[in-house]
Amino acid sequence: MKKLSLTSQIALALILAIAAGMLLADYPDFVNEYIKPWGTIFLNLLKFIVAPLVFFSIMSGILSMNDVKKVGKLGLRAMLYFMFTTVVAGIDRVVDMARTVMSITGDASCAVVMQRIQGDK
């Protein structure tokens, strides 16, 4: 029997996952209790591995360069890019939180949110 290519294996796994999702759609309690924790663990492990992978990839690229001037320019560009993307992500989170609060309370003020949390005292 011929071994399937990686592309075929991925496509087959995708089709089987869709079929399993459709079959288990009628059993949300089973899915939430037995399957969801494994998905959460898998996603947390992926998040856990991304930062070191990116860091060591960048370090490997910098260490393989011979010209110190280029390393300085690359480091400055990388730092500016990192700072820019961090600021954009932070702004995105703040805007998303404000939209969520406004959709729940109708008002984006912190006082309204704290009153809701504390039980409208």
Side-chain angles (χ1 to χ4, degrees):
M1 185 171 169
K2 185 179 173 186
K3 184 178 176 186
L4 292 174
S5 68
L6 180 60
T7 306
S8 299
Q9 291 176 16
I10 292 171
L12 180 62
L14 178 65
I15 292 168
L16 290 174
I18 291 171
M22 292 172 78
L23 290 172
L24 292 172
D26 296 332
Y27 305 102
D29 295 333
F30 174 80
V31 171
N32 284 332
E33 192 169 335
Y34 295 106
I35 296 176
K36 187 176 181 182
W38 291 104
T40 303
I41 291 169
F42 177 72
L43 290 177
N44 286 338
L45 287 172
L46 284 179
K47 291 177 191 175
F48 182 72
I49 203 87
V50 167
L53 185 65
V54 169
F55 174 75
F56 286 113
S57 296
I58 291 172
M59 290 307 298
S60 174
I62 289 173
L63 292 174
S64 69
M65 296 180 87
N66 295 328
D67 189 10
V68 177
K69 264 188 169 178
K70 287 183 181 177
V71 173
K73 289 179 183 179
L74 178 66
L76 178 64
R77 285 185 193 156
M79 186 60 71
L80 290 174
Y81 179 74
F82 174 75
M83 289 171 55
F84 174 75
T85 55
T86 302
V87 168
V88 169
I91 291 170
D92 179 56
R93 290 291 90 207
V94 169
V95 169
D96 186 43
M97 295 261 317
R99 285 183 181 161
T100 303
V101 169
M102 286 178 63
S103 69
I104 294 170
T105 64
D107 188 0
S109 69
C110 291
V112 171
V113 175
M114 290 308 293
Q115 285 176 351
R116 293 290 174 117
I117 290 172
Q118 295 173 355
D120 293 322
K121 291 181 180 177

